[in-house]
Amino acid sequence: MRKETGFTYIGLLILIAILGIIAAASVQVGSIFQRRIAEETLLDIGAEYQRALLSYANATTNGQRSTPQNLNDLIKDPRYPKVIRHLRRIYNDPLTGKNNWGVIRAKDQNGFNGIIGIYSLSDQTPIKIGNFPQTFTHFTNKSSYQEWIFYHPALQPHARQNRSEFLPNQSSK
């Protein structure tokens, strides 16, 4: 009888070890799954910003700036007395959890320096490296989320020196 008790005890220890390994693997898989969801959310939010930048440019009349000075200009366009919204709100970056974004600035056709693109401030390596929608094929094989630049389609960013960070309630630069 005592030998059977010993085998039961060893069997129980093996079962606990196996459950521990399964639990650790589940946490890791859950973390990867959560990052994949955050990546998809980032792509959706980035597309919203791209549409807002395009809407801002399309609402431009002669002599006005065609790029916003800051992201708040997309929420309420300061060029017009009537409220015009190109974006409903400043979204949180799903990877950092903050509503801070990196911004790409360039001069528009009227010589105004404004925002032409945004990017996540997360320096993590993306899980998704291929099979992007047509709009985001330039994200293929990027090594950081900071390289996923969501920009006004007509003003593709090419100069890294024009990067800065948007902070909520930031005054115009």
Side-chain angles (χ1 to χ4, degrees):
M1 254 257 195
R2 290 185 182 199
K3 287 185 179 183
E4 289 178 14
T5 306
F7 284 118
T8 304
Y9 181 70
I10 290 173
L12 182 60
L13 287 177
I14 291 171
L15 179 64
I16 290 172
I18 291 171
L19 289 176
I21 291 169
I22 290 171
S26 296
V27 167
Q28 187 175 10
V29 168
S31 174
I32 291 170
F33 182 71
Q34 191 173 16
R35 273 252 317 278
R36 284 186 186 271
I37 290 173
E39 280 184 355
E40 289 301 318
T41 305
L42 178 62
L43 291 171
D44 292 342
I45 290 171
E48 282 291 317
Y49 277 104
Q50 278 187 190
R51 284 189 290 274
L53 289 167
L54 182 60
S55 173
Y56 191 95
N58 288 339
T60 303
T61 58
N62 290 336
Q64 290 182 325
R65 66 176 41 252
S66 63
T67 56
Q69 287 183 296
N70 62 54
L71 295 180
N72 290 324
D73 289 353
L74 296 173
I75 297 170
K76 183 179 178 193
D77 194 335
R79 302 174 297 175
Y80 302 101
K82 180 183 173 196
V83 176
I84 297 178
R85 297 184 190 282
H86 306 284
L87 191 66
R88 296 185 64 80
R89 63 185 172 101
I90 302 297
Y91 293 96
N92 287 345
D93 179 340
L95 297 167
T96 65
K98 300 176 183 174
N99 62 356
N100 298 352
W101 292 91
V103 294
I104 305 289
R105 295 182 173 280
K107 292 194 185 294
D108 64 14
Q109 68 270 17
N110 295 318
F112 294 112
N113 190 30
I115 296 172
I116 62 165
I118 65 141
Y119 59 93
S120 172
L121 294 175
S122 172
D123 59 357
Q124 293 179 316
T125 303
I127 296 171
K128 185 177 180 85
I129 57 169
N131 295 327
F132 288 96
Q134 182 65 32
T135 311
F136 303 128
T137 55
H138 60 284
F139 294 170
T140 301
N141 295 324
K142 298 298 183 188
S143 61
S144 167
Y145 291 115
Q146 292 180 1
E147 296 180 83
W148 286 17
I149 300 172
F150 302 94
Y151 57 88
H152 178 296
L155 302 170
Q156 182 172 355
H158 51 277
R160 283 178 128 22
Q161 67 269 17
N162 289 334
R163 288 182 176 232
S164 62
E165 187 174 333
F166 170 81
L167 301 172
N169 302 320
Q170 171 186 21
S171 61
S172 298
K173 286 188 177 181

